[in-house]
Amino acid sequence: SKSVKKSNLVAIKNLKKHFYTPILMKDKKENDFFRNIINEKSEIDFINNLEKYLEKKENKLSTYDNWYFSKIQQVTDSVYIPYIDNEKSQVAKFYPDFIFWLKKEDKYCIKFIDPKGLNQGVHKTKDKLEGFEKIFVSDAFKKKYPTFKVELYLYNIERKKDALIDKYVAFDFDKIF
């Protein structure tokens, strides 16, 4: 189910049937010959940890009828969460790093996962989370889309001692999925 090919430039990973092939990952920042490459340490750690989790027989992703995920590319994708950037007093776009689509029977779940979500500072992170909640945690959304659940996780081991932020921080795949 897992294969990795390495060259001097990138590691090409294949997470069987769940991600478009190939996933291009690179540890060093110099000479980016490829677009849409995963080269942030937090994103690489996330992919590597996800692979290890999938090797476990009792992983929660195996309980879904099917699931897929992809890397959201800020420069090419139009998948984002709008929010009010209070510092700039304007509407901004939050691009979580990964999006998962999961299906179990007639229920659907979309999970946004952002490994570097805490790097922008507490205020900007809170603005993004408030934008997410206004759209997806609202009663209006739940009423209009009763078979859909949308979740957001800041994939990080670190806590910020802020109730809103810590509600979204998770590092355990069993909790996330």
Side-chain angles (χ1 to χ4, degrees), residues 119-161:
N119 294 354
Q120 304 247 341
V122 170
H123 296 296
K124 186 163 295 250
T125 300
K126 286 178 79 167
D127 290 348
K128 291 175 180 181
L129 297 175
E130 288 169 0
F132 172 80
E133 287 188 348
K134 282 181 186 171
I135 296 169
F136 298 112
V137 183
S138 70
D139 290 335
F141 180 86
K142 292 175 187 175
K143 186 175 179 180
K144 188 171 183 177
Y145 303 103
T147 62
F148 275 86
K149 185 176 184 181
V150 180
E151 299 175 345
L152 171 64
Y153 294 94
L154 304 174
Y155 183 77
N156 203 301
I157 201 161
E158 168 184 339
R159 297 279 182 188
K160 289 292 185 186
K161 295 186 177 128

Side-chain angles (χ1 to χ4, degrees), residues 36-53:
N36 302 337
I37 192 164
I38 297 173
N39 61 8
E40 294 288 334
K41 181 180 180 340
S42 60
E43 296 170 9
I44 291 169
D45 290 346
F46 173 79
I47 292 290
N48 289 334
N49 292 340
L50 178 62
E51 283 185 301
K52 288 176 192 162
Y53 180 72

Side-chain angles (χ1 to χ4, degrees), residues 162-177:
D162 179 281
L164 177 62
I165 293 173
D166 286 345
K167 182 167 80 170
Y168 289 93
V169 172
F171 197 72
D172 181 352
F173 284 115
D174 283 331
K175 179 184 177 192
I176 294 171
F177 298 113

Side-chain angles (χ1 to χ4, degrees), residues 2-161:
K2 175 176 109 170
S3 67
V4 177
K5 295 179 183 178
K6 291 189 178 202
S7 76
N8 291 341
L9 297 175
V10 293
I12 301 171
K13 295 191 174 209
N14 180 9
L15 289 172
K16 182 182 173 192
K17 87 175 182 175
H18 299 292
F19 194 90
Y20 70 87
T21 302
I23 298 174
L24 298 175
M25 294 177 36
K26 189 174 79 146
D27 287 324
K28 296 182 177 93
K29 298 256 185 196
E30 73 252 5
N31 300 324
D32 278 342
F33 297 111
F34 302 100
R35 289 179 41 90
N36 302 337
I37 192 164
I38 297 173
N39 61 8
E40 294 288 334
K41 181 180 180 340
S42 60
E43 296 170 9
I44 291 169
D45 290 346
F46 173 79
I47 292 290
N48 289 334
N49 292 340
L50 178 62
E51 283 185 301
K52 288 176 192 162
Y53 180 72
L54 291 172
E55 290 172 1
K56 289 174 44 180
K57 193 172 190 172
E58 300 295 319
N59 75 72
K60 287 194 175 181
L61 283 167
S62 66
T63 66
Y64 291 92
D65 297 336
N66 56 50
W67 64 274
Y68 302 93
F69 82 109
S70 66
K71 170 85 172 85
I72 297 175
Q73 299 296 336
Q74 186 170 346
V75 293
T76 58
D77 291 333
S78 56
V79 176
Y80 61 87
I81 300 167
Y83 71 98
I84 304 296
D85 183 332
N86 287 310
E87 186 179 293
K88 295 179 181 175
S89 298
Q90 67 184 28
V91 175
K93 297 175 180 178
F94 170 32
Y95 293 89
D97 293 314
F98 297 97
I99 183 170
F100 283 72
W101 296 272
L102 306 110
K103 181 184 182 296
K104 188 180 229 177
E105 298 170 2
D106 65 342
K107 303 284 185 199
Y108 298 87
C109 188
I110 296 170
K111 295 182 186 264
F112 293 104
I113 301 179
D114 196 42
K116 61 183 185 294
L118 297 177
N119 294 354
Q120 304 247 341
V122 170
H123 296 296
K124 186 163 295 250
T125 300
K126 286 178 79 167
D127 290 348
K128 291 175 180 181
L129 297 175
E130 288 169 0
F132 172 80
E133 287 188 348
K134 282 181 186 171
I135 296 169
F136 298 112
V137 183
S138 70
D139 290 335
F141 180 86
K142 292 175 187 175
K143 186 175 179 180
K144 188 171 183 177
Y145 303 103
T147 62
F148 275 86
K149 185 176 184 181
V150 180
E151 299 175 345
L152 171 64
Y153 294 94
L154 304 174
Y155 183 77
N156 203 301
I157 201 161
E158 168 184 339
R159 297 279 182 188
K160 289 292 185 186
K161 295 186 177 128

